[in-house]
Amino acid sequence: MNMDNYKVTSKISLKNLKTKIVIDDAERELKDVRKKLGKLQDTMYAHGKYAVLVCLQGMDTSGKDSLIREVFKDFNARGVEVYSFKVPTELELKHDYLWRHYIVLPARGKFGVFNRTHYENVLVTRVHPGYILGENIPSINTIDDVNDAFWDRRFEEINAFEEHIAANGTIIFKFFLNLSKEEQKYRLLRRLNKQEKNWKFSPGDLKERKLWDRYQECYEEAINRTSKLHAPWFTIPADDKPSARYLVASIMYDTLSQYSDIEEPELDDDAKVNLELYKKQLEEE
């Protein structure tokens, strides 16, 4: 399977992309690739040269939580950090919109997973521009100020943010879990019909569902304007969860495996020469 088929390298139209593919033995294949990813992460942790930022976006019920659980299951806990971004707090609103994302970027040697990301600032806020007024930006006083020029500037800022962190050692993956409206309906009904899933449901989910077409427009523009060589978007068919998980894991592993300079550090020459001496000292204690 050519993973480049999912990378956005030219302008896309979401309505023309598949929301479902079924990969044979996807769960078994995932177990294999996530073990390889886990071993690679150990090497990256010891190497300490690159960080990895994994950005997950998608409509409600697109499977972000379960994907994180399954894809990173074989990682050493010290090597991966997951952040879920909700409505900005009072403290976060006292800073620029990228601040809360910047302060939790992964350190070199670690994976950081953003469950919802800085792209919420050109998605939810674009569908609901009134939210921008809550950011208390000096130049924004009314909804009329949240115009095309405002969004152009925000896209430029996001591109600059990603270019900066990429240039300083962060490998960026951006995955859009491309869910169909029909599958979302099924998953929302499942939350209502299964008591143990009720907690996941919010009446607000239905309000946002009515804005489906607008969200698709905003996602499409955001992806087209921000998929760059140093920070590419991948559109992942998300109606079949096992296949989506396998695709995400495989794309990460295939990409990271191409970095020929990721390797475990070697002992310095003095330590190598004296290995037997060190062993003897311990054995004679």
Side-chain angles (χ1 to χ4, degrees):
M1 183 174 297
N2 185 357
M3 298 302 168
D4 282 342
N5 290 338
Y6 304 95
K7 182 186 288 188
V8 177
T9 56
S10 59
K11 190 173 182 178
I12 62 159
S13 172
L14 286 180
K15 66 181 180 181
N16 294 329
L17 297 181
K18 292 181 179 179
T19 61
K20 184 175 184 177
I21 62 167
V22 179
I23 299 171
D24 293 339
D25 295 323
E27 292 185 5
R28 179 176 59 81
E29 295 290 344
L30 173 61
K31 289 180 181 179
D32 179 59
V33 73
R34 76 185 179 201
K35 286 181 181 178
K36 294 178 181 178
L37 263 178
K39 290 179 180 178
L40 180 57
Q41 194 283 317
D42 281 338
T43 300
M44 295 183 72
Y45 185 86
H47 186 227
K49 186 175 182 178
Y50 295 103
V52 178
L53 176 62
V54 181
C55 299
L56 299 175
Q57 284 288 162
M59 297 292 286
D60 290 335
T61 77
S62 59
K64 296 181 291 295
D65 291 338
S66 61
L67 185 148
I68 293 169
R69 182 189 68 234
E70 296 300 322
V71 168
F72 297 95
K73 185 175 287 186
D74 290 325
F75 274 52
N76 187 315
R78 70 181 181 179
V80 61
E81 298 170 336
V82 179
Y83 296 94
S84 296
F85 295 99
K86 307 296 185 182
V87 175
T89 65
E90 182 179 355
L91 173 62
E92 289 167 347
L93 286 172
K94 290 183 181 296
H95 294 269
D96 70 271
Y97 69 97
L98 288 173
W99 177 79
R100 66 174 180 160
H101 306 284
Y102 196 93
I103 61 174
V104 293
L105 286 172
R108 292 187 181 96
K110 291 193 174 186
F111 278 58
V113 183
F114 284 3
N115 183 352
R116 298 188 183 274
T117 72
H118 45 291
Y119 282 95
E120 293 291 290
N121 297 286
V122 288
L123 292 168
V124 174
T125 53
R126 199 156 190 197
V127 176
H128 302 283
Y131 292 169
I132 295 294
L133 300 180
E135 295 183 19
N136 294 318
I137 302 171
S139 61
I140 304 299
N141 300 304
T142 69
I143 290 293
D144 291 338
D145 295 323
V146 188
N147 51 28
D148 289 344
F150 172 86
W151 297 116
D152 289 342
R153 184 169 62 254
R154 187 153 281 198
F155 280 123
E156 290 174 3
E157 291 165 349
I158 288 175
N159 282 328
F161 164 68
E162 292 176 350
E163 184 177 6
H164 169 69
I165 64 173
N168 284 275
T170 299
I171 301 169
I172 304 170
F173 295 96
K174 299 184 298 193
F175 296 105
F176 171 59
L177 303 184
N178 191 17
L179 185 74
S180 69
K181 193 174 183 181
E182 293 73 21
E183 180 65 18
Q184 188 195 58
K185 176 181 177 180
Y186 166 78
R187 294 181 185 181
L188 287 172
L189 284 170
R190 186 168 179 266
R191 288 180 178 181
L192 291 170
N193 291 329
K194 291 201 168 190
Q195 185 175 357
E196 66 273 21
K197 300 289 185 181
N198 285 172
W199 67 272
K200 288 187 172 184
F201 180 80
S202 167
D205 295 340
L206 299 184
K207 294 179 181 179
E208 294 298 283
R209 179 172 165 80
K210 292 179 180 179
L211 300 169
W212 178 277
D213 291 341
R214 179 58 180 151
Y215 270 107
Q216 294 296 296
E217 292 172 2
C218 292
Y219 265 112
E220 185 176 294
E221 183 172 3
I223 291 169
N224 283 328
R225 296 186 66 167
T226 62
S227 191
K228 306 294 182 181
L229 185 62
H230 59 270
W233 276 101
F234 295 87
T235 57
I236 305 297
D239 283 6
D240 183 73
K241 286 187 177 183
S243 297
R245 296 164 185 164
Y246 169 69
L247 286 175
V248 167
S250 295
I251 288 169
M252 286 194 292
Y253 180 72
D254 289 352
T255 301
L256 294 172
S257 296
Q258 295 175 24
Y259 282 75
S260 59
D261 61 337
I262 296 177
E263 54 188 12
E264 291 182 358
E266 295 186 1
L267 290 172
D268 61 51
D269 291 339
D270 288 342
K272 284 183 182 179
V273 170
N274 291 295
L275 278 179
E276 293 303 320
L277 175 62
Y278 302 144
K279 290 179 186 178
K280 186 176 180 180
Q281 288 176 352
L282 287 168
E283 290 169 352
E284 292 179 351
E285 283 185 354

